[in-house]
Amino acid sequence: MVTGMAKKPDLLPGTLDMLILKTLTRTPLHGYGIALSIKRFSDDVLTVEEGSLYPALQRLLLQGWVKAEWKMTETNRRARFYTLTAAGRRQLGIEASQFEQMIAAIGRVMSDTQEA
Amino acid sequence: MNPIARFVKKVSILFGGGRFANELDEEMTFHRAQVEEELIVGGMMPEAARYAAMRQFGNATKLREQSHEVVSLRGETVVQDLRFALRQWTKNPGFALTAILILAMGTGVSVAIFGFVDAALLQQLPYASPERLMSVNESNRESPRWPLSFPDYLDWQRLNKSFSSLDVYSGSGYLLRTPSGAVPVQGERVSGGFFQTLSVRPMLGRDFYPGEDRPGGPNVVILSYGAWLHRFGTRGDLVGQTVDLDNEAYTIIGVLPRAFSFAPSGNAEFWVPLNKFSPHEKMRTFYNFWGIGRLRDGVTAQAAGSEVATIAKQLQQQYAITGRARSASVVPLSEIITGDVRPILLGLLGGAGLLLLIACVNVASLVLVRSESRRREIAVRGALGASPARLVRQFVTEGLLLALTGSLASVVVGSGLMKLLAHLVPKDMAANMPFLEGVGLNAHTGAFAAALALIASLLVATTPALRLSFQKVRDGLADGDRGAASRFWRRLGANLVVVELAIAVVLLAGAGLLGQSLYRLLHVPLGFDPNHLATVKVMAPDSVYKDDEQTVGLYREIVHRISILPGVESAGISSMLPVQCNCNTDAIQIQGRPFQNEHNEVDERHISPEYLPTLNATLVRGRFFTGADDGSRPGVAVINQVLARTFFPTEDPVGQRIADDEGGRPSVWEIVGVVDDVREGPLDVDTPPAEYFPISQTRGHYFSLVVRTRQEAGALLPVLVGTLHQIDPDLGVSDEATMSDQIEATQAALLHRSSAWLVGGFATMALVLGVVGLYGVIAYSVSQRTREIGVRMALGAQRSSVYKLVMRQAGWLTGTGLAIGLVCSVGASLLIRNLLFGVQAWDAVTLCCVALLLGLASMAASFLPARRAASVNPTDALRAE
């Protein structure tokens, strides 16, 4: 299997969908915008293999969590903009709380190990 | 979104033409263009920026595929795969065609044979609750199934508690008067409840009334559907009409349904109640009636058997019947009907199964070789982003398509074969195998074919998939197909070929043994010369030939008139033709010897003086009969060698006297001659003792005429029939045939011939497939080792040593296959030993011949690739790739 370029830490598996949903809560964005936004907000720590956004976006579309429409960008080029739907917002809530629980749990385990 | 909405969306994407793909491409292109621009703004050279953008984006093809997978229906990729598979076929039609043909043949043969097995052994008899129908008969130590005498039947019926009904049947012949003269027809005399026991109701008219089967009952007859159809043109008003059987009027009271058949009665057309008895049929020691019974609920066949066995013993004591100890046999009726063909069918099914196995192995290795040659393609597709699952699915789809097409073709082949084989069964035999009607495509054979298709699909589909998962994509790309990966296939392919060769050996050995059995069977000493003999059966109506003088006059007239026909050397009469049946037996005593109740059973034939000389039988001692041995003289007999050896091991039999009950009268016969054994019974049974009496001293209205001709006997048959009708138009004349045809048509010859031919056919296919498989493996191995061979030769290896290299591999495979096959074939032959005649399962000659044949074929098959290897030009080989 050919694997991606892994210079930086990989995303935690399963978090890409959540990140996309979260990014879209601020404003509708096209794929490139989403990738850029994730990169900026994470201070360049989280880089997705940019292409892998697209299968994920198709998945979200199919689930009905995002909507897509073709619009013009500021530079006057046609791009597909993704908007969060109500269902997507609900899903984001679920995923975020699950994620927080997991992070908290991991944190507890890690801190415990250090004290011992 | 709920699953249904998701499905609708997927479908709309599927049918949205290329819109989804186009939009996705546009989106991705836009993305890359943005990155590129940004990099250029950041000061990168346009060219470098483009590559960087592409790198940053990742594998577009793969991502596109992944995106597709998200929205695709499961079926969509299947359709793609199917289309791809079909393209593969058109690119390489030879492979697909070969594989489909092999599968179709292998599966088709199995389905066809299974059709027969199903009809004969699995499907139930066409009666209500057939599992409760039993064949109920006497038995003794020598004969496991022996008919009942009528008085015994009545007592069994009265005393038993196991059967709700017990009936008997007895075959008989009649002369049917038709506008064009008398025609001999087959009839069956049955007790009154016969059809009720079978739970068969006439289609037209009625069943017998109670009491119609008592002595003195009316002349009534029920017709078979066939008789109604062929003799009376399906007349609706037939019931109530009369027919003339043996010059007596019988009232037609019913017509049996079309589906009715009763195998033991063959094609019997006229069913009459048992209400007339000859004098000896009233005797307790005249065994002429076969019984069937319907078990009461909850009674097992065993329980019923032991009950009637007790009754049989009681009756033997009560009536002080001498001879062998009586017992009873109660076996399912189905066993009687299909018992003979069971070992053959099972043997054939085994053979077909082996052939199927070979076919599957062959196709699997074909597919393997093919997948091997597509390693590069797979590697490239993998590198371009096809996931392993996707690749495996592609191969599975291709395999399934192959297997399904092959299976469909096999259904066609199978149903064709079934028709052909059922058609090849001679009519006379088919009449006793009503289950042949049930042979064909039905739920059972369909399910069987489906099951085979499933197995074949699994095999063909999983082999290359297994092969794929063992292999790293990078290996495939990296080098030109040598190294570790191909060893896997080489080993698997070689093992498969060993299996194929071993199976081929088993089938070849089986075919060899069956062929030898057939040869031995057809060459058993007959004791006479069957060539240039014409035969015909004659039935003289009782009403015309009432007294002995008339009957004897008829014999003389027939022999005289036939003998003077041009082309005829001599003619004789016998009560029964040779090589048919060890029936019509007699229990004898030797006069002047103490008699201790032993049962001395011998074949009994009534013959005219010319009969044995016409057969060219050899006189050993004494004399044959003459015209003077007639009813006015004391009884005389000619015996065969077996009888002479059995009863007169030390004395001269000529002059001794045999005593028996002839037609209910104690009689004495003086032995006047000993004839070398004439085979009276079937070919595959040892000749029992036999006695011949002059027909003019015994008389009988049913006999066969045997004529020795100068030319081909068949040409004389119409003349014989014509002459007999000239002598008396009321004579029933039937079954005209040459003696050779009669022998060929006997059950023993047919069964052995059919099994030998069928297994021979299987073996031929197996041999071809096995040898082709071997060729494939060796040729493949040589093509893989071309470079190695080139190096060897460049380093000074002789051509002969290259030959040796290749042939050693072939020899090893063949040797292993042969060794395994020979061991297995002894085991397999033991399983079919019931079908063997005059040859042992471990017959060394057969096994050696098989080994030699397969060895030679294998060597020939591997010689071609060996020669190709030896003619490799080292420079070319090294430069290749």
Side-chain angles (χ1 to χ4, degrees):
Chain A
M1 279 292 314
V2 180
T3 52
M5 292 152 283
K7 279 171 254 162
K8 296 194 175 149
D10 282 341
L11 271 184
L12 278 175
T15 51
L16 181 59
D17 287 11
M18 183 179 72
L19 291 178
I20 294 174
L21 290 174
K22 179 71 190 172
T23 312
L24 290 178
T25 53
R26 289 172 206 113
T27 172
L29 283 171
H30 45 63
Y32 175 65
I34 296 171
L36 221 55
S37 178
I38 291 176
K39 207 166 143 189
R40 279 202 199 122
F41 277 97
S42 68
D43 296 332
D44 283 352
V45 174
L46 297 179
T47 50
V48 282
E49 188 199 354
E50 293 178 3
S52 66
L53 270 181
Y54 292 92
L57 280 169
Q58 297 307 326
R59 202 158 49 233
L60 296 179
L61 267 176
L62 197 64
Q63 297 289 346
W65 294 333
V66 298
K67 280 190 309 201
E69 53 190 333
W70 289 90
K71 283 190 198 161
M72 289 303 177
T73 62
E74 306 104 66
T75 53
N76 226 4
R77 290 170 74 165
R78 223 168 85 91
R80 183 141 66 169
F81 282 76
Y82 294 87
T83 318
L84 197 64
T85 64
R89 211 170 284 277
R90 266 199 308 281
Q91 178 66 19
L92 176 62
I94 297 168
E95 288 197 12
S97 78
Q98 281 173 351
F99 179 73
E100 268 157 31
Q101 280 172 19
M102 197 177 69
I103 291 294
I106 293 173
R108 279 198 299 279
V109 172
M110 295 309 288
S111 58
D112 186 53
T113 327
Q114 271 176 351
E115 275 165 26
Chain B
M1 207 182 268
N2 64 38
I4 296 173
R6 229 174 301 163
F7 178 76
V8 171
K9 193 157 188 185
K10 284 181 174 183
V11 171
S12 72
I13 288 171
L14 177 61
F15 289 103
R19 199 166 137 236
F20 174 83
N22 291 341
E23 289 189 344
L24 191 69
D25 271 348
E26 186 179 346
E27 205 174 9
M28 290 178 164
T29 317
F30 168 76
H31 188 128
R32 280 196 299 265
Q34 290 288 323
V35 175
E36 200 178 322
E37 258 169 49
E38 198 176 302
L39 291 173
I40 292 171
V41 171
M44 207 183 258
M45 296 298 289
E47 184 87 341
R50 197 149 59 88
Y51 282 117
M54 277 163 73
R55 255 199 316 278
Q56 199 172 328
F57 189 81
N59 184 337
T61 317
K62 182 173 161 188
L63 290 164
R64 206 178 297 131
E65 186 133 322
Q66 276 176 7
S67 306
H68 268 288
E69 240 163 76
V70 170
V71 298
S72 68
L73 290 163
R74 237 159 246 286
E76 192 190 354
T77 48
V78 172
V79 172
Q80 281 176 9
D81 287 349
L82 280 178
R83 247 190 273 146
F84 186 77
L86 282 174
R87 270 209 305 281
Q88 289 285 327
W89 284 15
T90 44
K91 246 176 62 186
N92 197 343
F95 160 74
L97 211 65
T98 315
I100 290 172
L101 265 181
I102 293 175
L103 268 182
M105 287 313 294
T107 324
V109 167
S110 290
V111 169
I113 299 295
F114 176 79
F116 284 84
V117 172
D118 170 57
L121 307 183
L122 300 183
Q123 277 178 20
Q124 295 207 313
L125 298 177
Y127 315 115
S129 0
E131 72 285 349
R132 313 201 65 74
L133 278 177
M134 298 287 140
S135 151
V136 185
N137 291 290
E138 298 203 356
S139 73
N140 53 52
R141 214 179 52 242
E142 278 123 88
S143 314
R145 196 169 152 266
W146 186 253
L148 289 157
S149 70
F150 199 72
D152 277 353
Y153 158 62
L154 292 177
D155 286 332
W156 284 30
Q157 198 185 29
R158 190 167 48 85
L159 295 171
N160 92 83
K161 294 188 175 54
S162 304
F163 298 97
S164 56
S165 61
L166 189 62
D167 283 274
V168 284
Y169 58 93
S170 177
S172 108
Y174 295 101
L175 277 177
L176 172 72
R177 183 178 297 280
T178 69
S180 54
V183 183
V185 292
Q186 258 192 70
E188 195 78 23
R189 300 152 70 211
V190 299
S191 55
F194 181 82
F195 292 112
Q196 279 169 41
T197 298
L198 291 181
S199 75
V200 169
R201 227 171 270 155
M203 173 186 79
L204 292 178
R206 60 171 177 90
D207 198 351
F208 303 122
Y209 284 144
E212 277 182 333
D213 65 340
R214 291 210 194 103
N219 281 348
V220 289
V221 60
I222 297 179
L223 299 185
S224 74
Y225 183 88
W228 183 59
L229 182 68
H230 296 123
R231 298 196 190 276
F232 302 100
T234 64
R235 272 170 52 191
D237 61 343
L238 198 64
V239 172
Q241 309 273 337
T242 56
V243 284
D244 189 312
L245 296 175
D246 283 357
N247 281 335
E248 281 189 66
Y250 280 75
T251 308
I252 298 173
I253 59 164
V255 177
L256 291 167
R258 181 176 184 178
F260 171 78
S261 65
F262 185 67
S265 305
N267 269 334
E269 294 180 299
F270 295 84
W271 298 75
V272 301
L274 257 175
N275 54 20
K276 289 190 185 62
F277 297 93
S278 67
H280 38 272
E281 279 179 341
K282 293 177 187 150
M283 295 179 355
R284 199 168 275 278
T285 50
F286 187 82
Y287 306 95
N288 198 29
F289 301 91
W290 299 97
I292 53 165
R294 188 171 275 279
L295 285 178
R296 281 184 201 284
D297 286 340
V299 179
T300 63
Q302 271 165 328
S306 59
E307 193 208 358
V308 281
T310 319
I311 297 175
K313 279 185 197 105
Q314 250 172 22
L315 292 175
Q316 186 172 20
Q317 277 180 348
Q318 190 179 338
Y319 295 98
I321 293 163
T322 59
R324 291 171 285 197
R326 291 296 153 77
S327 185
S329 120
V330 173
V331 290
L333 188 61
S334 56
E335 202 122 310
I336 304 304
I337 294 177
T338 58
D340 285 347
V341 291
R342 175 172 315 192
I344 292 200
L345 282 179
L346 291 182
L348 288 180
L349 190 65
L354 288 179
L355 191 65
L356 176 65
L357 196 61
I358 253 192
C360 280
V361 166
N362 220 304
V363 172
S365 48
L366 264 178
V367 172
L368 263 180
V369 173
R370 179 120 181 81
S371 74
E372 188 65 25
S373 66
R374 283 169 65 183
R375 271 169 38 133
R376 256 163 192 272
E377 173 206 324
I378 297 159
V380 169
R381 295 179 66 196
L384 287 177
S387 64
R390 187 74 177 70
L391 280 175
V392 166
R393 206 155 68 212
Q394 168 68 46
F395 272 86
V396 169
T397 310
E398 284 185 39
L400 285 180
L401 187 62
L402 207 61
L404 286 181
T405 317
S407 304
L408 278 182
S410 80
V411 172
V412 178
V413 171
S415 61
L417 269 180
M418 279 191 260
K419 279 205 196 87
L420 180 72
L421 291 177
H423 193 70
L424 287 181
V425 177
K427 256 203 187 133
D428 287 352
M429 267 180 95
N432 293 321
M433 298 191 228
F435 52 80
L436 286 180
E437 290 282 319
V439 173
L441 278 183
N442 53 32
H444 288 192
T445 40
F448 183 77
L452 290 190
L454 189 72
I455 295 171
S457 310
L458 278 177
L459 195 80
V460 175
T462 49
T463 327
L466 273 178
R467 156 90 182 63
L468 271 180
S469 55
F470 278 115
Q471 189 195 339
K472 290 262 160 43
V473 166
R474 213 174 303 147
D475 289 348
L477 269 181
D479 78 291
D481 282 5
R482 262 154 272 111
S486 61
R487 206 183 308 146
F488 169 77
W489 142 241
R490 214 154 48 209
R491 222 180 299 137
L492 181 59
N495 291 342
L496 289 181
V497 160
V498 168
V499 172
E500 282 187 63
L501 292 177
I503 295 174
V505 170
V506 172
L507 282 172
L508 279 173
L513 291 173
L514 289 172
Q516 266 204 59
S517 300
L518 178 65
Y519 181 85
R520 302 239 166 131
L521 191 75
L522 294 181
H523 289 82
V524 289
L526 293 176
F528 66 94
D529 173 13
N531 301 310
H532 297 293
L533 278 183
T535 72
V536 64
K537 286 189 182 136
V538 182
M539 200 172 153
D542 296 338
S543 50
V544 179
Y545 300 93
K546 285 191 185 100
D547 61 34
D548 297 349
E549 210 167 309
Q550 278 171 314
T551 315
V552 173
L554 176 69
Y555 302 146
R556 296 219 166 110
E557 173 78 358
I558 290 177
V559 170
H560 171 70
R561 290 277 292 271
I562 298 293
S563 307
I564 57 172
L565 286 175
V568 170
E569 271 180 16
S570 64
I573 285 173
S574 168
S575 54
M576 216 176 161
L577 285 177
V579 203
Q580 296 296 322
C581 173
N582 283 320
C583 7
N584 291 12
T585 56
D586 186 21
I588 60 160
Q589 299 173 29
I590 309 301
Q591 227 186 23
R593 291 211 191 148
F595 181 62
Q596 278 129 4
N597 269 349
E598 70 268 23
H599 187 85
N600 301 324
E601 195 175 324
V602 302
D603 281 354
E604 175 182 341
R605 300 289 180 264
H606 305 161
I607 58 171
S608 74
E610 308 82 7
Y611 174 69
L612 288 174
T614 301
L615 286 185
N616 283 357
T618 317
L619 183 66
V620 180
R621 293 188 62 80
R623 64 170 176 94
F624 285 150
F625 301 132
T626 67
D629 297 316
D630 60 13
S632 63
R633 307 275 295 271
V636 286
V638 169
I639 59 171
N640 73 353
Q641 292 250 62
V642 177
L643 197 151
R645 267 201 306 277
T646 314
F647 296 100
F648 309 101
T650 51
E651 309 141 83
D652 182 358
V654 174
Q656 302 274 357
R657 283 189 170 78
I658 297 173
D660 73 344
D661 259 347
E662 191 60 34
R665 292 189 307 268
S667 318
V668 174
W669 312 85
E670 185 188 336
I671 298 169
V672 294
V674 178
V675 64
D676 200 7
D677 299 335
V678 170
R679 190 164 288 267
E680 297 290 350
L683 291 171
D684 54 356
V685 175
D686 286 339
T687 304
E691 62 187 5
Y692 300 86
F693 299 148
I695 196 167
S696 44
Q697 292 183 336
T698 55
R699 294 163 295 274
H701 287 107
Y702 197 77
F703 52 87
S704 294
L705 178 67
V706 176
V707 181
R708 185 159 295 281
T709 61
R710 294 203 181 84
Q711 287 91 30
E712 208 273 306
L716 196 73
L717 293 173
V719 186
L720 284 185
V721 175
T723 313
L724 286 167
H725 275 147
Q726 271 174 25
I727 296 169
D728 182 348
D730 280 344
L731 287 181
V733 178
S734 62
D735 294 337
E736 60 273 18
T738 65
M739 182 65 84
S740 317
D741 288 349
Q742 292 267 21
I743 295 173
E744 299 270 310
T746 56
Q747 177 144 334
L750 278 169
L751 289 184
H752 280 87
R753 167 162 306 139
S754 55
S755 50
W757 276 107
L758 281 172
V759 175
F762 295 172
T764 312
M765 288 194 249
L767 178 67
V768 171
L769 289 180
V771 168
V772 167
L774 178 71
Y775 169 81
V777 165
I778 300 296
Y780 177 76
S781 144
V782 164
S783 73
Q784 294 296 292
R785 293 168 76 183
T786 308
R787 208 182 160 100
E788 173 204 327
I789 291 167
V791 172
R792 282 172 188 263
M793 289 175 80
L795 292 177
Q798 295 296 307
R799 287 193 191 280
S800 64
S801 70
V802 174
Y803 266 109
K804 222 182 279 167
L805 185 76
V806 178
M807 296 304 273
R808 198 188 302 130
Q809 188 195 1
W812 190 84
L813 290 177
T814 311
T816 318
L818 265 178
I820 298 173
L822 286 177
V823 173
C824 293
S825 64
V826 172
S829 311
L830 282 173
L831 289 179
I832 57 159
R833 66 183 176 280
N834 283 346
L835 302 179
L836 299 184
F837 175 80
V839 52
Q840 295 295 334
W842 47 86
D843 184 63
V845 178
T846 310
L847 294 182
C848 286
C849 286
V850 166
L852 198 69
L853 177 65
L854 193 82
L856 285 178
S858 302
M859 285 304 114
S862 39
F863 180 74
L864 290 175
R867 210 176 62 163
R868 201 178 314 139
S871 56
V872 157
N873 183 340
T875 355
D876 290 349
L878 287 173
R879 217 179 274 150
E881 295 172 34

